[in-house]
Amino acid sequence: MAYDVWETCMFVDIGLKTGACASWVQAWGSMIAILMSGVIAWWQIRAARLGTLRSQRERAFALVESTAEVARSFSMELASIAAAFDQAPQHEPFKKRHWDLEPFRNIQLSALAIPLHDLPDPETVKLMIGFRNLVVTSRSAVARLAKLLDDPVEVAFTANPVALGHLVAAAQANDQRWRDVVLRLARDR
């Protein structure tokens, strides 16, 4: 019996006629299409997860970067208040020494607005809590100093009512720690 290519669907005679061959081609095509749709779905899910992780990492980095700027602003403002207290005459009231009667209010509100759960790691969360506490302590110390300086009787009996030097040093150390975190996160990007 002679092999006729036109009677079968393959170049090799395996006993299939044209009708049976069409069914097998359709079956194999369907299986390949199902497998490819699974591969495409897996790839899209993987790409979406990687994109989400990347955007979360970028958001956390931006959050830490902005917090570092707030910490730097706080450090500079605290240093300027301490310098104003040190340079002004002791009998001069607080209102003339420094115009801000509610020091660090915006910085405290900024620090409180940063959600702790969006920070990248526990070390950064601890640093943020320490920064918030430092701002509250500094506000309290400056307010106490302002009250003492605005009362002429208290000023006469108090040479140095509240030392701001240790708070300035703590603020500068906090500022440096935030810069270190920014550098570490930038390196890990």
Side-chain angles (χ1 to χ4, degrees), residues 61 64 120-125 127 177-189:
F61 181 74
V64 167
D121 54 23
E123 175 191 338
T124 312
V125 172
L127 188 57
R177 283 194 298 266
W178 278 108
R179 280 192 247 153
D180 293 343
V181 168
V182 168
L183 290 175
R184 177 179 53 87
L185 290 176
R187 200 175 46 240
D188 293 345
R189 283 170 95 182

Side-chain angles (χ1 to χ4, degrees), residues 42-110:
W42 169 82
W43 182 79
Q44 288 176 338
I45 290 170
R46 182 178 175 273
R49 283 183 186 160
L50 290 175
T52 301
L53 288 174
R54 191 177 307 114
S55 67
Q56 286 174 346
R57 198 169 42 246
E58 290 298 320
R59 184 170 189 267
F61 181 74
L63 195 60
V64 167
E65 232 178 2
S66 61
T67 304
E69 281 301 310
V70 171
R72 188 180 64 77
S73 298
F74 168 70
S75 175
M76 291 183 347
E77 186 175 346
L78 184 59
S80 72
I81 289 175
F85 283 137
D86 290 342
Q87 294 170 359
Q90 285 293 343
H91 64 279
E92 192 174 285
F94 175 76
K95 291 174 186 161
K96 288 186 179 176
R97 288 175 182 238
H98 195 266
W99 59 271
D100 190 3
L101 297 179
E102 280 195 65
F104 320 122
R105 185 173 184 336
N106 290 337
I107 290 174
Q108 184 178 14
L109 291 175
S110 297

